[in-house]
Amino acid sequence: MLENWTEQLRRGTLEMAVLLTVSPGRRYGLEIIRHLEEFTDLVLPEGTVYPLLTRLARDGFLTAEWIADEGPHPRKYYQLTPSGRARLNNMCREFQAFTGKIDRLMKAAGRDV
Amino acid sequence: MRLSESGESRVRGYLYVFERSLRSFLAPKVATDAVREVESHIRDAVAQTGDVPNELDALERILMRLGPPIKVAQAYSLELVMDEAETTGRLGPVFRSLFQSAATGITAFFGAFGLFAGYASGLACIAIAILKPIFPENVGIWMHHGVPISAGAMFPPPSPGRGWTMTGGYAIVPLFLGIGLMLLVLTHWFARKWIGRLRARRQVMNPMMIR
């Protein structure tokens, strides 16, 4: 049961984490995954990040572009669009408000972890 | 790390299974792009791996971290359910797409509602055709003082003394079977068109598409 809950949390926050990862500038798939792995344990398994990137690009939150001359083989680079940046700002605001409330609730319950 | 011929063969095998899984539900262009991207991932991961004594073990670790090809393809299915619905017309993806689209706006809600009503009506007609031979006195077209009121089953049947009569006889079996099947086929056709329109509209609204 706890695993299901953790999985839902992971799914719910992965999109925001991906948008945060590409917010400083364009990155390609493995670069995004390695960055996420450095800071989180959200990527399990690695291959599931690509469908999310495809969907975010299709929905207009990211641009995706194949670039052939910046590595030993062509790589697909992702970059935030203006609508992606707006979505990320909204997500960060909502997330901070949400975690702030849960944090206060935990403190009120004496679970200051 | 540079891949030997057996390593290359293992990568090709992985990509082959992945592409076969994707092509069963995704448009060929999207599937090809996804395969190209996963191949790029593998090549990058291989390039980042230093010299190792056992190349195949290192490659297996890379593929294991990437995930089984079928599982990765399933993740695409979850994210791109509308593409799957329009391409394959399978009921599961179509219903999932309709549920998803119903939450995106008022027009989409009523569109999805109408399509669900179409499916339900088609199934109801087929149920009437199936139930007629089982309950001949309870299933038919119900008239009240000569005016048709409803079609279906009534348990118990209303009293003829109160002006209720049942008409249609066994002719309703092929009639309702035909209407039911026609409704299901038409509704499904409209559902795929509707999903295609929603997808196209979303793509027009978001011009930054995958290149």
Side-chain angles (χ1 to χ4, degrees), chain B residues 59-75:
Chain B
L59 181 59
E60 283 308 321
R61 272 198 298 277
I62 288 169
L63 297 180
M64 199 175 71
R65 289 182 70 173
L66 187 58
I70 292 170
K71 194 168 180 181
V72 179
Q74 282 169 349

Side-chain angles (χ1 to χ4, degrees), chain B residues 94-169:
Chain B
V94 166
F95 284 149
R96 286 208 306 272
S97 299
L98 289 179
F99 270 119
Q100 278 185 7
S101 64
T104 59
I106 294 170
T107 314
F109 172 81
F110 283 108
F113 182 79
L115 288 166
F116 278 119
Y119 282 114
S121 305
L123 288 176
C125 287
I126 292 171
I128 289 171
I130 292 170
L131 287 173
K132 178 65 181 173
I134 304 169
F135 304 104
E137 302 303 319
N138 300 76
V139 179
I141 298 168
W142 293 96
M143 320 270 277
H144 194 236
H145 297 298
V147 180
I149 299 295
S150 68
M154 288 208 191
F155 294 96
S159 165
R162 293 185 178 175
W164 285 95
T165 50
M166 189 184 65
T167 188

Side-chain angles (χ1 to χ4, degrees), chain B:
Chain B
M1 182 173 84
R2 284 179 67 85
L3 287 182
S4 64
E5 188 49 44
S6 59
E8 287 290 345
S9 170
R10 176 72 180 97
V11 171
R12 281 198 298 274
Y14 181 98
L15 294 173
Y16 175 78
V17 176
F18 180 54
E19 185 167 15
R20 286 291 294 264
S21 309
L22 283 180
R23 280 187 187 272
S24 63
F25 63 85
L26 273 186
K29 194 180 161 192
V30 184
T32 304
D33 195 72
V35 172
R36 198 176 163 204
E37 184 163 34
V38 167
E39 183 178 2
S40 173
H41 171 106
I42 296 169
R43 304 266 172 227
D44 273 326
V46 167
Q48 286 176 12
T49 306
D51 287 333
V52 288
N54 192 329
E55 172 210 87
L56 284 181
D57 276 356
L59 181 59
E60 283 308 321
R61 272 198 298 277
I62 288 169
L63 297 180
M64 199 175 71
R65 289 182 70 173
L66 187 58
I70 292 170
K71 194 168 180 181
V72 179
Q74 282 169 349
Y76 272 91
S77 168
L78 281 173
E79 292 290 350
L80 306 172
V81 66
M82 275 194 182
D83 302 56
E84 184 183 359
E86 199 195 0
T87 308
T88 66
R90 284 184 198 146
L91 283 177
V94 166
F95 284 149
R96 286 208 306 272
S97 299
L98 289 179
F99 270 119
Q100 278 185 7
S101 64
T104 59
I106 294 170
T107 314
F109 172 81
F110 283 108
F113 182 79
L115 288 166
F116 278 119
Y119 282 114
S121 305
L123 288 176
C125 287
I126 292 171
I128 289 171
I130 292 170
L131 287 173
K132 178 65 181 173
I134 304 169
F135 304 104
E137 302 303 319
N138 300 76
V139 179
I141 298 168
W142 293 96
M143 320 270 277
H144 194 236
H145 297 298
V147 180
I149 299 295
S150 68
M154 288 208 191
F155 294 96
S159 165
R162 293 185 178 175
W164 285 95
T165 50
M166 189 184 65
T167 188
Y170 281 100
I172 71 163
V173 174
L175 179 71
F176 275 77
L177 202 59
I179 293 172
L181 288 174
M182 196 177 71
L183 268 175
L184 286 180
V185 170
L186 276 177
T187 306
H188 198 59
W189 184 79
F190 274 116
R192 288 181 74 177
K193 289 277 169 201
W194 170 261
I195 290 164
R197 252 189 67 188
L198 289 177
R199 270 184 66 207
R201 198 168 60 185
R202 191 158 64 178
Q203 286 168 6
V204 170
M205 284 163 68
N206 299 305
M208 312 278 195
M209 287 295 299
I210 302 163
R211 274 174 259 165

